[in-house]
Amino acid sequence: PAVFEPSAPAGTLNLAKYCPVEAAASIADANSAVELYAGYGKTVYTALATVAGNVVGIVATKGAEDVLCRNCVSKAARFVRLCDAFSIPVVTPVNTDGFVKSALDDIVVRNHHIVIAALGSLQAGGLREAARLAGTYADATTAKVAVITGKAVGVAYTALANADLTIAVEGCTVAPLDPKAAVTVLYKDELENGTNIAADTAKLAARYAADVCSAAAAVEAGLADMAVPAAGVRAAVVSALDMLSTKRTQRLPKKHGNMTL
């Protein structure tokens, strides 16, 4: 791809008022982002942009309180596959509560037969789309950089942070299980003996997140390659892309995978 004249972004990453568009703008060169699929899958922002003059694809999730529906997941997978086809590096700022929960919403008994109506995302193929996203990231041979800007818990980390180099921003949460859910298991006896379960759970979850789920803890556990402050994200991404610019992947001869498209 062509190399353009770089220009520094106007601002840095703001974790207090997180927005996927602004998160992408804090990494990309000023006024270089061109959004694709804007009218589809509102909790994922996908755009082509330049970082230090080099073309990249950016996949940014909306925020820690938002989940990814099947449309958002399909949008992200399609965009990553597009970038991989043209060897365009992919930068993924990760901050999400995960995927839409697949639950049985209704059970109806008709003619002595139990009809399970699995409405919503499960019925529409949400599990398949989530698997497709994870498979697309794993299968992509282009350079991949993940920037954990907020919450990356469980399967969200597994799918979206599948990268050659992962950057954890100070203040993020990286864990196999949500801290509140984790402390209800790890500190069950202590919570049952307390006087205020809700307050004690919140206190223990905050301590657990700071000690076990922090950026530094993620680096120590091998879940991230480096921990940087919010102001240093742009420089870290530029360095990561520079290191990965010569990436070449050797694979056994084959036609293609067997993922349903």
Side-chain angles (χ1 to χ4, degrees):
V3 177
F4 300 90
E5 188 67 25
S7 54
T12 59
L13 180 64
N14 186 352
L15 298 180
K17 297 181 179 180
Y18 185 83
C19 169
V21 179
E22 294 179 0
S26 68
I27 296 172
D29 297 339
N31 303 318
S32 68
V34 178
E35 184 177 4
L36 300 183
Y37 319 131
Y40 186 76
K42 298 295 186 178
T43 57
V44 172
Y45 172 79
T46 54
L48 292 174
T50 62
V51 175
N54 296 293
V55 178
V56 300
I58 299 179
V59 181
T61 54
K62 188 174 182 180
E65 302 302 322
D66 296 280
V67 292
L68 303 177
C69 67
R70 66 182 183 89
N71 291 335
C72 301
V73 173
S74 176
K75 170 182 175 179
R78 180 69 184 85
F79 181 75
V80 171
R81 179 155 292 195
L82 170 67
C83 293
D84 186 43
F86 293 94
S87 296
I88 298 173
V90 177
V91 179
T92 309
V94 183
N95 185 14
T96 180
D97 198 36
F99 301 104
V100 170
K101 306 298 186 294
S102 295
L104 300 179
D105 297 323
D106 191 18
I107 298 179
V108 183
V109 179
R110 296 176 183 172
N111 299 327
H112 305 289
H113 296 286
I114 298 178
V115 180
I116 302 177
L119 304 177
S121 185
L122 180 60
Q123 186 182 45
L127 293 176
R128 181 183 61 192
E129 295 298 337
R132 180 189 176 196
L133 177 65
T136 300
Y137 266 98
D139 190 57
T141 58
T142 189
K144 296 171 290 185
V145 178
V147 184
I148 303 177
T149 56
K151 193 175 181 181
V153 175
V155 292
Y157 171 88
T158 303
L160 296 170
N162 188 335
D164 301 301
L165 197 147
T166 302
I167 302 168
V169 182
E170 294 177 359
C172 71
T173 300
V174 183
L177 187 65
D178 185 88
K180 285 187 177 180
V183 297
T184 58
V185 177
L186 297 175
Y187 303 100
K188 180 177 180 293
D189 295 337
E190 184 176 341
L191 290 173
E192 289 179 347
N193 294 329
T195 56
N196 190 326
I197 293 180
D200 293 342
T201 300
K203 183 178 178 181
L204 288 172
R207 187 178 70 187
Y208 180 84
D211 295 340
V212 181
C213 310
S214 64
V219 174
E220 185 177 354
L223 300 175
D225 297 289
M226 64 179 75
V228 300
V233 170
R234 154 89 175 185
V237 172
V238 171
S239 299
L241 291 174
D242 183 58
M243 286 188 288
L244 296 172
S245 61
T246 57
K247 176 188 175 183
R248 299 292 183 272
T249 301
Q250 299 294 330
R251 287 189 166 185
L252 295 174
K254 68 173 185 177
K255 290 176 63 177
H256 49 72
N258 196 31
M259 177 63 69
T260 302
L261 301 177

